[in-house]
Amino acid sequence: MKLNAIIVEDEENSRLILRNYLTKYCPNILILGEAANIEDALVLIRNNVLDVVFLDVEMPYGNAFDLLDKVGDINFETIFVTAYNHYAIEALNAHASYYLMKPISIDELIKAVDYVTEIRTKEEALQDQILIPKTNTVNGKITIPQQDGFEVLETADIMYCKADDNYTEIFLNNNKKKLVSKTLKYIEGSLKDSNFARVHKSYLVNVNEIVKYVKGKGGSVVLSNGKEILVSASKKSDLLSYFK
C-alpha cells in the first residue's frame, strides 16, 4: 500500500539523504512535503492526511516531542531519525513506531517502512470491516467510507447508484452526489434488503423513486427527479417483479 509521508529534519543534507533513500528503496512511500522546523511541520501535518512522519528529534526552537504535543491527536505513525540514542525511552513513551539512528542504515530504513506498512495495512483491513454497510441493523442507513472515517446516509435519500470502474457514484434526492471507493456490486450487496433494483450493469435504482416505466426490449425507468435510466433486457423481469 502507498503511505503518505513527510520528512521533518532541520539539516538540509540529512533531508536529502533520507529523501533519496526513500525514493530508491521504499517505493511505497509518497513524500508530500518536508519541514526544517516545528512550525512548518505543524502546517504540513494539519494540511495533509498522513500515514507516517519521519521525525528528527533535535530541531531549532524545540524538539520532536514538542511538535507531537502541539499536534495533540496523532493519527499517523512516527519514525524517529536521530544521531542520539538517549531519546529512545522518550520516543517509546511517545508511541514511536521505529527509532532509526544516524547515519541511516538502508536495511534498517527498509525494515522500519515495512513495519509501518504492516501496521497501516492491518488498520485499513480493520476499518474496512467496521465500514461494511449494515442496512439490516442500522434502521435504513448505510455507511460509506471516507478518507477520515465514514458518513452515514439514509437509504431512503438515495435515488440511484452508478458504477464508475471500481468506484460508485451515489446520487441523492437533494441533488448531491457521493463518490465511494467501492464497486457497484458491493453497494448492491449492502442494499440487498432495501428496495433497490439492479436495472443495468451500471445502475442500481431505488424502486421507491420510480414514477414511470417506458416499454421496450428492456425499457427504461423514470425517477422522481426526471432522470431516465435504461433497463437491460436481462434485468427487466427482476425490476417488474417489484410492481406485481
Side-chain angles (χ1 to χ4, degrees):
M1 65 182 300
K2 287 288 185 182
L3 299 180
N4 292 336
I6 63 169
I7 297 172
V8 183
E9 164 67 66
D10 65 313
E11 296 179 3
E12 183 177 358
N13 190 54
S14 294
R15 290 199 304 274
L16 177 62
I17 291 171
L18 180 54
R19 184 197 320 136
N20 288 342
Y21 280 177
L22 289 170
T23 302
K24 186 172 182 179
Y25 300 106
C26 305
N28 67 317
I29 294 292
L30 179 62
I31 302 173
L32 301 184
E34 300 176 13
N37 55 64
I38 289 176
E39 294 307 317
D40 289 347
L42 199 58
V43 171
L44 283 175
I45 289 170
R46 287 174 174 169
N47 290 338
N48 292 282
V49 176
L50 300 174
D51 295 295
V52 58
V53 173
F54 293 88
L55 185 56
D56 184 20
V57 176
E58 294 197 342
M59 289 177 285
Y61 313 110
N63 60 30
F65 308 106
D66 297 323
L67 171 61
L68 294 177
D69 285 342
K70 288 177 180 290
V71 172
D73 187 15
I74 297 172
N75 54 12
F76 52 80
E77 306 301 320
T78 307
I79 296 178
F80 282 90
V81 185
T82 180
Y84 307 97
N85 59 16
H86 58 268
Y87 289 112
I89 293 178
E90 197 169 354
L92 183 63
N93 291 334
H95 306 291
S97 298
Y98 216 91
Y99 194 89
L100 288 174
M101 292 293 298
K102 295 178 182 178
I104 297 172
S105 159
I106 294 171
D107 287 341
E108 282 298 308
L109 177 62
I110 294 172
K111 191 184 296 184
V113 169
D114 286 346
Y115 181 69
V116 168
T117 301
E118 183 179 355
I119 292 173
R120 300 304 275 190
T121 300
K122 288 179 179 177
E123 288 177 349
E124 188 172 279
L126 178 61
Q127 178 172 297
D128 281 346
Q129 291 178 21
I130 294 171
L131 296 180
I132 292 175
K134 300 175 181 178
T135 53
N136 287 341
T137 58
V138 192
N139 298 323
K141 300 179 188 295
I142 184 173
T143 59
I144 59 172
Q146 294 184 329
Q147 202 169 33
D148 59 349
F150 63 88
E151 183 177 357
V152 180
L153 298 179
E154 296 281 349
T155 56
D157 291 340
I158 300 173
M159 298 285 292
Y160 66 96
C161 304
K162 180 183 178 183
D164 184 6
D165 292 328
N166 289 324
Y167 291 81
T168 298
E169 293 178 310
I170 297 179
F171 293 83
L172 305 176
N173 55 20
N174 60 2
N175 293 321
K176 291 186 177 180
K177 179 176 70 173
K178 305 286 183 180
L179 182 64
V180 185
S181 58
K182 296 292 182 183
T183 63
L184 185 60
K185 183 178 180 180
Y186 178 93
I187 298 297
E188 181 183 14
S190 303
L191 293 169
K192 61 183 176 63
D193 294 319
S194 301
N195 288 324
F196 283 80
R198 185 75 171 263
V199 298
H200 187 278
K201 68 177 182 178
S202 298
Y203 286 94
L204 180 70
V205 303
N206 185 343
V207 175
N208 294 323
E209 296 294 337
I210 295 175
V211 296
K212 183 178 181 181
Y213 172 74
V214 180
K215 289 182 179 180
K217 184 176 182 181
S220 63
V221 291
V222 179
L223 304 184
S224 60
N225 65 351
K227 171 71 176 178
E228 185 171 3
I229 296 174
L230 288 177
V231 178
S232 63
S234 62
K235 301 293 185 182
K236 180 178 179 178
S237 61
D238 290 341
L239 171 66
L240 295 181
S241 68
Y242 282 90
F243 300 96
K244 289 181 178 178

